[in-house]
């Protein structure tokens, strides 16, 4: 049976863990060739092993998305190895500190903005020329519900994710006629190592979070990966500049 992404090349940043890892496995299961990049070498190599064990194809390129030279080298490697880039999932991100704005540590503010916002800008800056050279592509940026609403005690994360949505809309407009679609996905609490670390800090937090979600549970990385794959298909060919909220109903309240 033919697979839907046979012959496609997909770049995933933050592919050593959580949503990025699961998305790598999901795209590879549909026949795509995956470039996993992450600042974490061990986790990135583990994702590559997991994809191979499932019969897929991927390579790992160590990349810190805050470094322009790293990102430039990453895209040069994609070009060298595959000669094109069809889809990019700009997913690397960090959550930062939990503190109200007046108490928020300035160094963590800078770090969160550099990874979550500058990182997405740099990735798009170097992905777009490679896509343009081969007739277009699809970019998906991982924002968050914190990109569309305020989140108490997370000013840096919230500002960075609002910024990602602005970057997404702008690039979508700039490259629409050139065949590049650019969308964002805005998950709420999704069961990944990022959220597992958070719930470990406070007994009862997981139950409280679930209680706030109308569907009564956390999201799964598989659900986010499935949405990313949908946005890459031709079925989604009229969708660009969109921010897809996946939050179990929270924003409906
Ligand atoms: N899990 C959630 O509930 C949730 C909700 C909304 C949005 N998101 C977003 O989804 C994305 C993935 O999150 P996750 O939950 O899978 O988290 P995760 O912590 O499991 O994975 C994030 C990955 O990003 C990598 N990374 C961090 N800094 C990097 C850098 N400078 N350069 C390259 N890689 C770097 C980490 O090493 C890690 O492998 C993030 O952008 C996050 O903000 C997650």
């Amino acid at each position: 049976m033919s697979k839907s992404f046979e012959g496609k090349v997909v770049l995933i940043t933050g592919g050593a863990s959580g949503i990025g890892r699961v998305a790598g496995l999901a795209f590879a299961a549909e026949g795509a060739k995956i470039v996993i990049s992450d600042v974490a070498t061990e986790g990135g190599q583990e994702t590559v092993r997991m994809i191979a064990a499932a019969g897929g194809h991927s390579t790992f390129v160590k990349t810190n998305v805050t470094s322009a030279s790293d990102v430039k080298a990453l895209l040069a490697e994609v070009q060298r190895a595959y000669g094109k880039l069809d889809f990019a999932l700009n997913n690397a991100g960090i959550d930062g500190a939990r503190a109200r704005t007046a108490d928020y540590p300035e160094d963590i503010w800078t770090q969160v903005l550099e990874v979550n916002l500058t990182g997405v800008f740099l990735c798009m800056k170097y992905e777009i020329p490679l896509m343009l050279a081969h007739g277009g592509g699809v970019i998906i940026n991982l924002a968050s519900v914190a990109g569309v609403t305020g989140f108490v005690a997370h000013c840096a994360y919230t500002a960075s994710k609002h910024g990602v949505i602005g970057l997404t809309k702008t690039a979508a407009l700039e490259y629409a006629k050139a065949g590049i679609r650019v969308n964002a996905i805005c998950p709420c609490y999704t069961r990944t190592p990022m959220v597992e670390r958070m719930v470990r800090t406070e007994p009862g937090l997981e139950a409280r979070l679930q209680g706030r979600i109308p569907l009564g549970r956390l999201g799964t990385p598989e659900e986010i990966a499935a949405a990313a794959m949908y946005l890459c298909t031709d079925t989604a060919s009229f969708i660009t500049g969109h921010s897809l909220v996946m939050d179990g109903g929270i924003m409906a309240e």
Side-chain angles (χ1 to χ4, degrees):
M1 210 171 76
S2 81
K3 297 179 174 176
S4 44
F5 292 139
E6 208 82 61
K8 301 293 187 189
V9 178
V10 187
L11 169 61
I12 301 177
T13 71
S17 175
I19 292 167
R21 169 174 286 172
V22 170
L25 282 157
F27 275 100
E30 286 301 327
K33 292 183 168 59
I34 318 295
V35 180
I36 293 291
S37 81
D38 204 293
V39 76
T41 302
E42 209 175 294
Q45 288 172 342
E46 178 60 16
T47 302
V48 168
R49 278 193 292 274
M50 290 168 75
I51 290 173
H57 174 94
S58 66
T59 53
F60 173 68
V61 181
K62 182 173 177 157
T63 312
N64 186 335
V65 295
T66 68
S67 157
S69 59
D70 268 24
V71 176
K72 202 173 169 183
L74 167 65
L75 272 299
E77 178 54 22
V78 174
Q79 160 84 358
R80 190 202 62 77
Y82 301 107
K84 65 166 187 168
L85 177 63
D86 296 293
F87 311 138
L89 189 59
N90 296 322
N91 162 80
I94 56 174
D95 51 2
R98 245 176 111 192
R100 286 181 185 240
T101 302
D103 302 316
Y104 204 88
E106 289 161 35
D107 56 338
I108 298 183
W109 164 270
T110 303
Q111 198 188 354
V112 171
L113 269 289
E114 279 184 357
V115 176
N116 294 4
L117 186 56
T118 306
V120 171
F121 159 67
L122 289 173
C123 287
M124 289 207 294
K125 178 177 163 75
Y126 291 102
E127 288 158 0
I128 286 166
L130 189 46
M131 289 182 171
L132 289 176
H134 298 277
V138 182
I139 295 175
I140 295 164
N141 296 322
L142 259 292
S144 165
V145 286
V148 291
T149 188
F151 251 71
V152 170
H154 288 286
C155 61
Y157 189 78
T158 307
S160 71
K161 296 300 188 180
H162 274 70
V164 167
I165 290 177
L167 283 176
T168 300
K169 289 176 179 170
T170 300
L173 294 174
E174 289 170 342
Y175 298 100
K177 292 195 173 60
I180 300 178
R181 292 189 294 108
V182 189
N183 291 295
I185 296 180
C186 303
C188 194
Y189 301 110
T190 304
R191 197 176 291 284
T192 67
M194 181 185 277
V195 163
E196 279 158 11
R197 282 191 297 273
M198 190 175 85
V199 298
R200 271 201 300 273
T201 62
E202 208 182 301
L205 180 60
E206 183 169 348
R208 279 210 308 286
L209 295 180
Q210 283 178 350
R212 281 174 50 194
I213 299 172
L215 284 180
R217 63 172 177 84
L218 304 187
T220 68
E222 286 77 10
E223 289 170 319
I224 310 302
M229 290 172 80
Y230 162 69
L231 288 170
C232 288
T233 62
D234 287 342
T235 311
S237 51
F238 205 49
I239 304 178
T240 196
H242 183 65
S243 298
L244 178 60
V245 170
M246 299 182 68
D247 66 348
I250 286 186
M251 294 302 294
E253 289 189 318

